[in-house]
Each structure stands twice: as C-alpha cells, then as structure tokens.
Amino acid sequence: MNSPDRPFSPLVALLGLVALLAHAAIAPSAIAQYGGPAGNAHPESEMVSGDSDDISNPFGERPFGTERPSPAAKAAFERALDLELFRELPVFHNGRVKVLDTLARETVSAITGRTQYVEYVRSSDDSAEPGELEKVTHDHLFTLLDLMIDPAYYVDKPLVHINYFPLREELVEAAIEDRAMSQRYLKLTRVSPLMLREFAGPIAARYAFDEPYVTAFNRVDRALGLWDNTWRNMAVVPPDSRDLPWKHLSRLDPYTPAREAATALGEAWRAGDAQAANTHAAELATALNAINPDTFDDTRAKLELAYNRSNAFEWGLWAYLASFVSLLLAFGTHRRWLVITGIGLLVAAIGLHSFGFAARCFIAERFAIQNQFESMAGLSLFATLVGTGLMLARRQWLFGAAAAAVGFMVLVTATQTPIPGKTIEREAAILNTSVLLKYHVTTVLVSYGLIALGFVTSAFFLAVHYLKQSAAPHLAAAATADIAEPIAKVGTVSAGPGSAGSSAKGAAPVKTKARLLADLDTAQMTVLQLAFWTLGVGILLGAWWADHSWGRWWAFDPKETWALITWIVYLIAIHARFGGMKNKGLVTAWLSVVGFFVMLFTYFGVNLLLPGLHAYA
C-alpha cells in the first residue's frame, strides 16, 4: 500500500473527499436529475383493477331503501361466519397472483390506515354504563368481503383514514358540532365517506395549491375509489394457461356454480343470515378451486398465508431487542444465564428473520432485494449473520450484541415507518435485465450491514473510552468473556483464544480499561475492513451492471457518487492507522460513526433528495 518512508496522509485523503463532496453537490443537478431511461421506474400500483367497465358486482347490491344492520348486528354476524376457505383463494391483483388474505390486508390498510378495521359499538355488557362503547376489531378478510357485498353499510361510518391532521380537523369541525364526538373522530383518524362527499369540496377548493392538502386529498380520493370499487378486484378465475389473463368472477356464465354461489352469498350476507352465508361461501370457494387448479401453485398460497400470519419481521425485531438487552445486562452483571438467554434469543430472531426473507423471495418469485423495504430486510439479515458468525469464530459475544442491535434498529425502521415496498409488488423492468443485479445489490447491502455493525461496535468503544476509569474493570470482564467458558466472578476475564494478553492457567486476570479498548478496537477494525472490501467490490460490480444495463460504466449518478464517498471514508479510516497519530482506536471509532451517517445519506438521503438513475432503489 504505502511505502515506509512515505506513510499515508489522512489530510490528503480528506482533501480528496472534500473535492468529491463538492462534485456530488453539483453533479446531481447537472447530470442526474431525471428519472432515467424507460424501464427505470417502478410499475404504477393499481389498487383497483383496470378491467373494463362491462363487469358487474358478482355479489349483487343492497336494494334501495333496505334497512342497514346496526354495528352490533354486523359484529354478531361476523362472529358466526367461517371464512377460512377464502383465505387461500388466489386472486390476480396489481400485476401478480396473490391470496385473498393478502388482498384483504392491503385493501383495508389502504382505506383505513391499519390492517384491521376497528369499530365502536354500544356495549352488550349488562353492567356497562348507558351509552358506553365497546371496541370491536373486524378481521381484514371479513371487512374486504363486506366492502364488496355491502358497501352501503359504510356510508356514514368512520372508514377513510386521513393522516394529515389539519385536513382531518377541518373536516371534523365542519361536519360535527358535538365537541365530545368531534374529539373522538380526531383521535380515531378516520372520517366517513358521507362527511367527505358533503364537506371536502370547499376545503379542496380553498387549498388547491397547498401541497400537503393536495397530497392528502389524493390519498382520500384513492381510498374512496377503492371503497366504491373493491368488488372490481375479484379476478379470481384462473386461466387455462399461466401466460393468459385471469378473469373477473362476473365474466363467468350466470348459471355456473361459482356465479350462482356468489349471488346467493351476497343475498344471505346482506340479510344477516350467517348459516346460509357459510353454506354459500363454502360452495363458492369449492367451485373456484375446481377451475383450472393447476394454474396456481397451492404450496405458494399456503406459504403466503403463513408469511402473512407469522409477522416474522415484527416478532424478529422484538427478539433482537430482547437479545440485545440480555447481552447488555450481561455486560454489566456478568450473569452467565443472561449471555445464554441473549444468544438463544439472537438465534431465534435470526430464524424468524430468515423465514420472513426466504418466504418473501419464494412468494415474489425473485430475490427480494429490489425495493427499500426488501433491501432493509436483507441488509439487516446479512449483518446479523455476519455478526453471529464473528461471535462464533472469535468466541466473544460482543459481536452478538452488535448484531442484535443492528437487527433491531433496521427492522424497527423498516416495519414501523412508512418505508415503501412493504407489499409484494412488481418491480422496475431494469432490475430484471441481468443476473448481475443479485451480486451487485447483495454485495452492497452486505457492506451496509457491516457498516452498521461497525457503527455499533465503535459506539461501544466510544462509550468505554469516555467512561470513568473505575467502571472499566467491571466492563472488561464481561465484554471479552469467552462464550465457550463460564463467566468468572466480577472483575476477572478470560480474554478468549487468540486474544493478545491472554493469561496462562493460574495467572492473574486482565482487568484494565486499556485491555477492553484494545479488544473493542480489534473488533471494530475486523468489521470495518470487511465493510471496506465488500463495498469496494459492490461498487465495481455496480459499474459492470451499469455498463450492461445502461451502456456506461460510470456517470456520476448521485447514488454512484455517494457510494464512492462512503467507500473513501472507510479508506481514510483504515489507512489512518498507518499514520503516526496517538490514539488510533479513538480516531477509527469516530470515523466509523461518520461513515455510518454518510452511508445513511447514501442509502436514504440520495433517494429522497437527489433522484437519478437509481430512483427505484
């Protein structure tokens, strides 16, 4: 690398980085502020099927003037229904074949803002206060079918979610005079279709050029359209061959078993006859399953339903958190059972995480790393696997604590924030032009996971460095404890195989802050060197893929430029070790922190602020 008489100068690298940052600030506006070539954008999502207008509601409609059921009656009707045969029914929607359970989750979430529709009904408990309300949570599949069969029920019900509070406040104030009721609607975050149709027009006209209001009204429009046309998504009739389009249920002959069962189901449903509805629902499911049964893989349907029910990523993130807390407590208390518990929870979390990721790949029929949510799920999985591998190889559970922290931080961001790509959809055509995509994106995601792993390890280093000297022996005993050996009493440590300064049998234990910092420095350098080389290879693979897909190796696209900047930060972090500075570990730790936030901008900020050829990423 560098000759002994001319050591690497971090100042030179820093000047180069500043020049590249200046170029990055200018280049996007000059070069990459465009959506890219055809096929570079995500396919447009269509929550309502684009089928022609000559289809009809296969379940019929509620006759005009018919009395609608009360919320209590609707809840009782749902409790008497058995819709399990419907959950695995395949349906073609938004460019792919999915199960009806998935369509129900997506539809209810798009309209109400959450996976299950919640309604408040008068309490059936005799001991309840007069007028007291009882919370009823409706199953998403029941809500989907109810929206198709009896949409009129929801006309004056709080159905449509409005996430922009000022708009919600104006609508509620215009529609409801009662103070207590208006506060209830504001907290509920939903308004009725009737409120929107009567009071939304003047508000929309008043804020026609106010971007937040326009965005909120666009969402409301889509939700209302979906409420009106949910039945259009019943493309549940498989074709003779997989390369032919699926048919809408209403396109079948009116006298076929499926059509007759659908009509009878609609009538029984609106009449509130649960026994008849169950009979006709079973008939409809049986009739549909008998039509071209080989067109759709039953195994994939069962796996998709298991994926939906397991909530593997959500349970996985809590297992990661519990693992991290256990290992952190062990860090301070030296309890062996906490180490064993933490490692067990880490293995369980990785198992859940791996199932969720693998199932999504199988369901999507592709390597699921092609949007923001998928890439985050993959990134965190790769990081935790590497961290766990290092923990087992080095026999130090410090790596396990870092892996658990990364798994939790990334998954909680992916699942609990509005990250795009949570639903399994079609992806940009450009992503299917070459198998190089898998290697390029996977390698870069592994590097990002390693960067996150290095950040957590460096955060441990900084915490120990700035702690008082008196706390160091206690922490040193736990941090470097060998996972294969019993944890000794407070203040002692076995540094583990291969650790410099390990004591011979019977020798005095190591218990200095310097020992702990040295081990942490070794850990952070192990991870950061892996991140450096992996990101470098990922960038080279990206250039190869760019030449294959776009006909050029490099064009200073914002994502390319900032990936290079991230790599240079780690180039500085590693080569700074060759200089003559005093505290190399501390400098490396701070550069690791800087590199982590530069990576975050490369990963998130570029997508939001500097659109270019990687607009889909």
Side-chain angles (χ1 to χ4, degrees), residues 128-354:
E129 294 289 332
E132 187 175 340
L133 298 178
E134 179 183 351
K135 181 180 177 181
V136 175
T137 301
H138 294 284
D139 180 77
H140 49 270
L141 181 58
F142 168 80
T143 304
L144 175 73
L145 292 171
D146 204 34
L147 287 167
M148 293 179 178
I149 297 170
D150 195 16
Y153 171 77
Y154 298 91
V155 168
D156 57 355
K157 302 294 187 297
L159 177 72
V160 179
H161 172 64
I162 299 180
N163 65 336
Y164 187 52
F165 181 78
L167 173 58
R168 186 164 75 243
E169 188 175 37
E170 289 208 40
L171 279 166
V172 170
E173 286 180 358
I176 302 173
E177 293 182 1
D178 182 81
R179 178 72 177 169
M181 182 65 74
S182 66
Q183 289 301 311
R184 187 179 298 161
Y185 265 80
L186 287 175
K187 290 178 182 177
L188 199 58
T189 77
R190 291 181 273 122
V191 298
S192 70
L194 188 62
M195 289 167 61
L196 286 166
R197 287 180 173 175
E198 289 187 2
F199 300 101
I203 299 173
R206 192 159 60 248
Y207 296 102
F209 301 102
D210 193 324
E211 182 57 35
Y213 277 89
V214 172
T215 302
F217 270 117
N218 285 338
R219 288 175 179 160
V220 167
D221 241 8
R222 287 194 292 270
L224 284 176
L226 189 52
W227 164 64
D228 267 338
N229 298 283
T230 305
W231 56 269
R232 286 185 172 275
N233 290 332
M234 283 296 285
V236 291
V237 183
D240 298 330
S241 170
R242 296 194 180 197
D243 55 354
L244 294 175
W246 285 55
K247 291 181 182 178
H248 191 269
L249 180 55
S250 68
R251 292 192 181 279
L252 291 176
D253 187 281
Y255 300 104
T256 57
R259 279 296 302 277
E260 289 182 336
T263 302
L265 173 61
E267 292 172 354
W269 191 291
R270 288 185 290 270
D273 186 344
Q275 184 176 354
N278 283 333
T279 299
H280 298 309
E283 290 172 353
L284 177 57
T286 302
L288 288 173
N289 283 325
I291 302 173
N292 300 321
D294 297 331
T295 303
F296 184 66
D297 185 1
D298 186 55
T299 304
R300 189 150 64 91
K302 293 183 183 301
L303 181 62
E304 185 164 355
L305 188 58
Y307 173 82
N308 291 343
R309 285 175 163 169
S310 67
N311 291 320
F313 294 127
E314 285 82 357
W315 284 109
L317 75 89
W318 296 119
Y320 279 129
L321 177 61
S323 171
F324 176 67
V325 170
S326 296
L327 294 175
L328 203 61
L329 288 173
F331 194 82
T333 64
H334 301 190
R335 303 287 183 184
R336 179 173 174 77
W337 69 269
L338 283 172
V339 177
I340 296 172
T341 300
I343 293 172
L345 286 167
L346 178 60
V347 171
I350 291 175
L352 286 166
H353 197 164
S354 300

